């Protein structure tokens, strides 16, 4: 996304370790907090973000799937980091663009992924039929899809998204969509946190469903994050967990969230390699040799 000065504030990792209640007669709770020893600093401009991110990607040999402002993504892909950026296009409502325009965008070859799809913020199920034609286009073109399912923070419905419904993050709501589109390959963003039982049930019933740990990996209490990942592994899904960030505007968030996987005592070295690389190569049908 473009850096928005109004949103450009520092943030603590695992800032949702404390979620005190509020009062409707008082200001709503803060979305972020900086009450920690080493808050993450936000980029102050698009160039600062790009320069910092690209330097980290080069140093750590990282390739990314990115959605957001198309001008920025195109510049990253073509100029700043050729071969390291895989563009994605998100749609969360039929009001965003027509089915024809969306299909044309996918058919152009620039976009390789459909995501982030986030109807939850509109109070809608991912299986809402108003989005069905868009998923049909992705299925026909063999495009993988990333769907937001999970919480959005402390008091999301009170602060920024009054239509947001926690119930619409239930992973089992994907069942009708998957039944209508049996060849659609879907990964559940944020791993459906905190609905682990339903996430496991969905993945057990649908072999083409993966998850990523974006967002929740750096926002919720670290012990909770590790327990959630451990539970997925214990249930047998270590080959279907993918690393992710929800990077937004904090360039150093990449190293912070990578460290969660690298330092997870519940994961073997092979499992860490799967989460950080192998599973994404398999899910997105990538040529492994290009990312060595």
């Amino acid at each position: 996304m473009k850096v928005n000065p109004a949103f450009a504030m520092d943030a603590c990792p695992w800032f949702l370790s404390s979620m005190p209640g509020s009062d409707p007669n008082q200001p709503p709770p803060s979305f972020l907090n900086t009450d920690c020893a080493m808050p993450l600093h936000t980029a102050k401009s698009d160039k600062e973000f790009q320069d910092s991110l690209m330097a980290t990607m080069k140093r750590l040999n990282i390739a990314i799937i990115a959605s957001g402002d198309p001008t920025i993504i195109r510049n990253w892909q073509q100029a700043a980091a050729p071969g390291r950026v895989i563009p994605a296009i998100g749609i969360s409502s039929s009001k965003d663009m027509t089915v024809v325009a969306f299909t044309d965008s996918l058919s152009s070859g620039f976009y390789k992924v459909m995501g982030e799809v986030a109807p939850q913020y509109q109070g809608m199920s991912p299986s809402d039929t108003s989005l069905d034609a868009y998923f049909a286009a992705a299925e026909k073109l063999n495009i993988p899809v990333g769907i937001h399912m999970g919480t959005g923070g402390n008091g999301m419905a009170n602060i920024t998204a009054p239509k947001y419904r926690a119930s619409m993050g239930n992973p089992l709501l994907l069942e009708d969509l998957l039944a209508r589109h049996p060849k659609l390959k879907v990964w559940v963003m944020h791993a459906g946190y905190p609905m682990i039982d339903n996430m496991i049930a969905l993945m057990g019933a649908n072999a083409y469903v993966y998850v990523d740990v974006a967002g929740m990996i750096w926002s919720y209490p670290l012990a909770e994050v590790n327990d959630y990942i451990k539970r997925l592994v214990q249930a047998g899904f270590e080959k279907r967990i993918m690393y992710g960030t929800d990077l937004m505007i904090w360039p150093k968030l990449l190293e912070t969230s990578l460290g969660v996987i690298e330092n997870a005592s519940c994961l073997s070295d092979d499992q860490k390699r799967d989460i950080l690389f192998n599973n994404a190569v398999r899910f997105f049908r990538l040529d492994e040799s290009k990312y060595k």
Side-chain angles (χ1 to χ4, degrees), residues 26-43:
Q26 297 176 345
S30 174
F31 180 69
L32 300 169
N33 75 60
T34 55
D35 187 20
C36 60
M38 297 181 66
L40 296 166
H41 298 299
T42 181

Side-chain angles (χ1 to χ4, degrees), residues 12-26:
C12 291
W14 309 292
F15 67 96
L16 295 174
S17 294
S18 176
M19 291 193 281
S22 187
D23 187 287
N25 295 324
Q26 297 176 345

Side-chain angles (χ1 to χ4, degrees), residues 36-57:
C36 60
M38 297 181 66
L40 296 166
H41 298 299
T42 181
K44 302 302 182 184
S45 68
D46 296 339
K47 185 178 187 305
E48 179 186 337
F49 185 91
Q50 175 179 298
D51 290 348
S52 178
L53 177 60
M54 298 306 154
T56 300
M57 287 171 58

Side-chain angles (χ1 to χ4, degrees), residues 212-259:
D212 78 22
V213 291
M216 54 91 68
I217 194 173
W218 57 267
S219 53
Y220 291 94
L222 185 55
E224 177 82 351
V225 173
N226 282 323
D227 285 347
Y228 203 84
I229 294 172
K230 182 179 180 180
R231 182 76 191 283
L232 287 166
V233 172
Q234 287 178 332
F237 297 112
E238 63 187 64
K239 299 293 186 182
R240 286 200 259 162
I241 305 169
M242 298 186 291
Y243 166 76
T245 55
D246 238 355
L247 193 61
M248 292 189 280
I249 56 173
W250 300 280
K252 293 298 181 182
L253 190 54
L254 202 53
E255 290 108 321
T256 299
S257 52
L258 277 170

Side-chain angles (χ1 to χ4, degrees), residues 107-178:
S107 300
S108 71
F110 177 70
Y111 294 108
K112 306 296 184 184
V113 175
M114 177 181 175
E116 179 175 7
V117 181
Q120 185 177 4
Y121 287 95
Q122 307 299 320
M124 290 168 47
S125 163
S127 290
D128 191 289
T129 55
S130 66
L131 294 172
D132 208 55
Y134 301 90
F135 290 121
E139 181 184 33
K140 182 178 181 180
L141 294 169
N142 213 25
I143 298 289
V145 177
I147 301 179
H148 171 102
M149 302 214 79
T151 59
N154 182 22
M156 175 58 63
N158 308 117
I159 303 173
T160 59
K163 293 183 179 180
Y164 178 93
R165 296 294 179 268
S167 58
M168 294 296 103
N170 184 346
L172 292 177
L173 291 175
L174 285 166
E175 286 197 301
D176 287 347
L177 167 65
L178 296 171

Side-chain angles (χ1 to χ4, degrees), residues 53-91:
L53 177 60
M54 298 306 154
T56 300
M57 287 171 58
K58 183 177 181 179
R59 177 168 54 86
L60 299 180
N61 191 26
I62 291 173
I64 62 173
I65 290 170
S67 62
D69 184 273
T71 303
I72 289 180
I73 294 175
R74 194 174 294 275
N75 185 57
W76 286 3
Q77 189 211 41
Q78 296 180 352
R84 292 185 182 271
V85 179
I86 300 171
I89 182 171
I91 185 166

